[in-house]
Amino acid sequence: MFWTRLASGVVLLAVAIGAMSLGGIPLALLLWVISLIAFRELTRALKCASDEKKPNGLEIIGFLGITGYYLLLYFTGDFMLLMMCAVGVFLAVMFAYVFLFPRYGAGQVTAAVFSYLYAPVLLSFIYQTRMCREGIYTVWMILISAWGCDTCAYVVGKLIGRKKIFPVLSPKKSLEGCIGGVLGAALIGWLYGFFFVEKAFPDGNMAWIIALICAVGAVMSMVGDLAASAIKRNMDIKDYGKLIPGHGGIMDRFDSVIVTAPMTYFLTVLLLTAGA
């Protein structure tokens, strides 16, 4: 199991690095596919899907909405058009709810809208971060915040973890591990900023800003991880899927990245690229 998980993790990291390095079409396509799968996993977990093999009308609206959203993201990147697309999906779900009543319950309708906003829309901020000014440097803060925090929290928790901070939701997480994860992500961010990012911004002291962004992103990554775990506990499921050997589904592996991406994007625009 360990070696399967390790191999899957290496492959995922290689794919992520390749797509984020290239940006443009490869990254947009990868995020589109991941978003479709994550949306399906969420709707199944939240009992929106009426049949595990065949998507229902609400899911079809979601799939079309995700596709339209990523087409607009790639070809225009216009914030107003993207918001119009998101609102359009919401209205389409409302139409289906009203005109097909009582085919879909209120819980299914809520789950469909939530699933669309949770994974596909939030994941799109990876692309937006990559395509903003100097995005080839700043996009890596998302992975540092999410996976760097996860690794550091695991190591620190194993070594000195004592106080259980979420005993019901996540019994293995400790206060020491959480603190170690945030500080570890901040340290990795500072090292990355000092040795790499400051070469792109020679007139600014960016290392400390990178460290701050990674620290905040690390906090959000833990929130994302715990939120995804809470859904699984509420719905009494072990994993969101079986796509990734040793990890589960897309939501099991990208739960922290999903929430970290928008926070990293906004902090990058506010603190880093705006002052460059």
Side-chain angles (χ1 to χ4, degrees):
M1 184 66 176
F2 169 78
W3 292 109
T4 300
R5 184 179 176 86
L6 178 62
S8 298
V10 171
V11 172
L12 280 175
L13 185 61
V15 172
I17 290 174
M20 292 168 76
S21 298
L22 293 171
I25 291 179
L27 181 57
L29 282 174
L30 178 64
L31 291 173
W32 171 63
V33 172
I34 289 176
S35 295
L36 291 173
I37 298 171
F39 174 78
R40 177 65 167 156
E41 289 178 351
L42 278 169
T43 55
R44 288 173 61 185
L46 295 171
K47 311 302 182 186
C48 171
S50 56
D51 188 315
E52 290 192 1
K53 295 182 179 179
K54 184 179 179 180
N56 61 21
L58 297 179
E59 292 178 296
I60 291 173
I61 292 173
F63 293 147
L64 293 175
I66 293 168
T67 301
Y69 186 90
Y70 275 90
L71 286 172
L72 289 172
L73 180 67
Y74 176 74
F75 285 107
T76 72
D78 184 88
F79 179 78
M80 183 63 70
L81 290 177
L82 292 173
M83 290 304 97
M84 288 175 62
C85 181
V87 172
V89 170
F90 171 78
L91 294 177
V93 170
M94 290 298 101
F95 268 93
Y97 182 38
V98 171
F99 288 102
L100 297 177
F101 189 85
R103 179 179 299 180
Y104 304 117
Q108 290 177 294
V109 170
T110 303
V113 175
F114 172 78
S115 300
Y116 176 79
L117 296 175
Y118 185 9
V121 173
L122 294 189
L123 275 171
S124 71
F125 284 95
I126 297 177
Y127 181 85
Q128 296 184 64
T129 302
R130 172 62 180 84
M131 302 312 292
C132 70
R133 187 159 54 119
E134 308 298 349
I136 185 62
Y137 293 95
T138 58
V139 71
W140 305 109
M141 292 187 292
I142 298 173
L143 296 186
I144 293 172
S145 299
W147 294 348
C149 172
D150 185 50
T151 301
C152 293
Y154 175 80
V155 172
V156 173
K158 278 289 187 180
L159 292 175
I160 61 172
R162 297 293 183 272
K163 184 176 179 58
K164 302 302 179 183
I165 190 171
F166 301 106
V168 177
L169 179 57
S170 185
K172 294 183 179 181
K173 286 194 184 302
S174 65
L175 177 61
E176 296 84 356
C178 290
I179 294 173
V182 174
L183 294 179
L187 176 59
I188 296 171
W190 185 89
L191 292 171
Y192 172 69
F194 182 80
F195 288 106
F196 296 98
V197 180
E198 287 192 356
K199 293 181 180 180
F201 303 94
D203 297 329
N205 183 17
M206 298 297 176
W208 291 107
I209 299 178
I210 297 290
L212 174 62
I213 293 175
C214 288
V216 176
V219 173
M220 294 309 302
S221 76
M222 289 188 286
V223 173
D225 177 41
L226 290 167
S229 297
I231 292 174
K232 289 192 289 186
R233 288 190 176 276
N234 283 153
M235 306 311 295
D236 195 27
I237 58 175
K238 184 178 183 297
D239 294 315
Y240 284 99
K242 300 179 181 179
L243 180 65
I244 308 171
H247 293 271
I250 290 294
M251 285 298 302
D252 294 294
R253 181 64 273 183
F254 288 86
D255 50 8
S256 57
V257 173
I258 289 171
V259 180
T260 302
M263 180 62 68
T264 301
Y265 171 77
F266 290 125
L267 289 177
T268 297
V269 171
L270 290 173
L271 301 178
L272 203 60
T273 58

